[in-house]
Structures are given as structure tokens and as C-alpha cells.
Amino acid sequence: MLDRTRLRIAMQKSGRLSDESRELFARCGIKINLQEQRLIAFAENMPIDILRVRDDDIPGLVMDGVVDLGIIGENVLEEELLSRRAQGEDPRYITLRRLDFGGCRLSIAMPLDAEYQGPQSLQNSRIATSYPHLLKRYLDEQKVRFKSCLLNGSVEVAPRAGLSDAICDLVSTGATLEANGLREVDVIYRSKATLIQRDGEMSDEKQQLINKMLTRMQGVIQARE
Ligand code: ATP
Ligand code: ZN
């Protein structure tokens, strides 16, 4: 059983946020041995346990109070928030600090030959995405009706495969879109990695440790600016 007096932090096990999350912990002076293929890593010099999971699981782990802190892309966090609200829940968490990595945008893209004159061009179209709630929030604001096609991977091939008219997916350079004959027509959400804390009571010891980490993080991030 895990020791609940130790601060529990969730980070992505492997992917676009994991190297920089690890680097941030190291620069904050937290010594962790992450070499092994383990779910949990223990800090050697502080009462901190690191849980290494898929990024999609991190918002829920924080909202459910299973871990104390998490580093997660705002895109995934916001989608989980909207999804839980749609199910009638009232999920809670505290944003401690927006981080200086993991930058990307969630964009709508269409085949090169498709006409686009603003969101109205998407009226009644089918859009493939892994972010149905963020997409719906945006298109509801624009009064655009659409049908979504939920895909958790290979979203960019959907138009070519005849599954959808457009896609809504994460973009950083645009190279993947181009390789699939798509062009970015609208940005619906700009994201970065962020550090969040679970809602609810925290022991004084844990809160002091969190505050110390935050002060160090501030210094690390300022020095990189
Ligand atoms: P996991 O196996 O943990 O589920 P994943 O494949 O869902 O990983 P990654 O591709 O590693 O996720 O992306 C994690 C996060 O990195 C994204 O949710 C986003 O916040 C950020 N990110 C930054 N740039 C990009 C990009 N170009 N494409 C996708 N995600 C990006
Ligand atoms: Zn994921």
C-alpha cells in the first residue's frame, strides 16, 4: 500500500510531456530514478512518489483525489472537465501553474480542395476528433450543427478514408496535416502543459512541500524565459 503521507504526483509515462516533466522535477531538486518500467517511482531525497501513467488518466486521477498533483496538457484536462460535466458531475481541481512546455493548438483542418469561409462552412458536416466536447463547445458558440466521428488515433486519415469531411486535431508544426492533404482552417484551443492539484484538504507537511516545489519551479521557469 502506498504511503498517503508522501506527496503523490502523476506524470505521463512516455510521450510528448514526459521528458520535460522529468526535467522539471530534476531542476526542482527532486531526485527520482525513472529508469525502470515501473508504475511508481520514489524520490530519494523528498517524501514524493511519482505515478507514471497515460496522460488521459491524469485529470481523472486528480479530480478523483487519487493523486495530489498532476502535470497534464490543458487540452486533455479541459476535455475531461467538459466530459464529466456532461455526465452531471461537478469535477474540481486547482490550477497551480501553467508550464512552459507542451505547447500545441487544437485546430480544425479540411482537405486542400474543400472550401472554407469560416465556421459556417462546417454546417451539418461530419468532423473526426478525439476532443468531441471541446469541438462542440466551440461550434455551439458559432451556432454550427455538426456530427462528430470519435477517433482516438489516426484522426488525420479520416477525410481520405471517407469517414469525415473535416478533422479537429492537435497541431504543432502542421507537417502531419500537410502529409495528409489537409490544411488548418481554424484554431479552436491553445494549450500548454499545466500543474494541477486535487481539491480538498491537504496536510500542512504536504502543502509546505507543494509551496516549496512551486517556488523552485518559478525560479526554473523564469531562468528559461
Ligand atoms: P499517452 O500514451 O500517454 O496516452 P498520447 O499519445 O495521448 O500519450 P502525446 O502525443 O504524448 O499523447 O501528447 C501528450 C500531450 O502533449 C498532448 O495532449 C498535448 O497537450 C501535448 N502536445 C504538444 N505538442 C503536440 C503535438 N504536436 N501533437 C500532439 N500533442 C502535443
Ligand atoms: Zn493520451
Side-chain angles (χ1 to χ4, degrees), residues 12-17 53-56 72-76 102-104 131 170-173 191-193:
Q12 188 185 25
K13 180 163 189 182
S14 71
R16 287 188 159 98
L17 302 178
V53 294
R54 289 203 54 182
D55 69 339
D56 315 70
I72 184 63
E74 290 166 329
N75 52 312
V76 174
C104 58
Y131 298 89
L170 293 178
V171 183
S172 52
T173 63
S191 178
K192 277 196 171 177

Side-chain angles (χ1 to χ4, degrees), residues 189-201:
Y189 190 81
R190 290 185 191 276
S191 178
K192 277 196 171 177
T194 187
L195 176 70
I196 56 172
Q197 175 175 333
R198 68 171 168 79
D199 190 34
E201 229 166 276

Side-chain angles (χ1 to χ4, degrees), residues 28-85:
C28 289
I30 307 170
K31 291 209 173 73
I32 324 157
N33 185 354
L34 290 183
Q35 268 114 330
E36 298 155 84
Q37 284 298 307
R38 283 232 173 126
L39 170 69
I40 300 161
F42 305 99
E44 297 163 13
N45 58 337
M46 288 185 215
I48 296 177
D49 295 339
I50 306 283
L51 216 72
R52 301 158 72 213
V53 294
R54 289 203 54 182
D55 69 339
D56 315 70
D57 294 335
I58 296 174
L61 288 169
V62 174
M63 290 168 186
D64 292 336
V66 177
V67 298
D68 300 308
L69 305 183
I71 292 182
I72 184 63
E74 290 166 329
N75 52 312
V76 174
L77 175 63
E78 192 75 6
E79 179 68 21
E80 180 69 19
L81 184 70
L82 296 177
S83 159
R84 287 191 174 217
R85 281 188 185 151

Side-chain angles (χ1 to χ4, degrees), residues 14 35 39 54 59 70 92 95 116 131 140 147 151 154 157 160 172 180 194 213-214 220:
S14 71
Q35 268 114 330
L39 170 69
R54 289 203 54 182
R92 296 188 181 253
T95 299
Y116 187 80
Y131 298 89
D140 280 355
K147 298 179 284 288
L151 289 177
S154 307
V157 306
R160 220 172 353 120
S172 52
N180 285 283
T194 187
M213 259 182 64
L214 272 177
V220 171

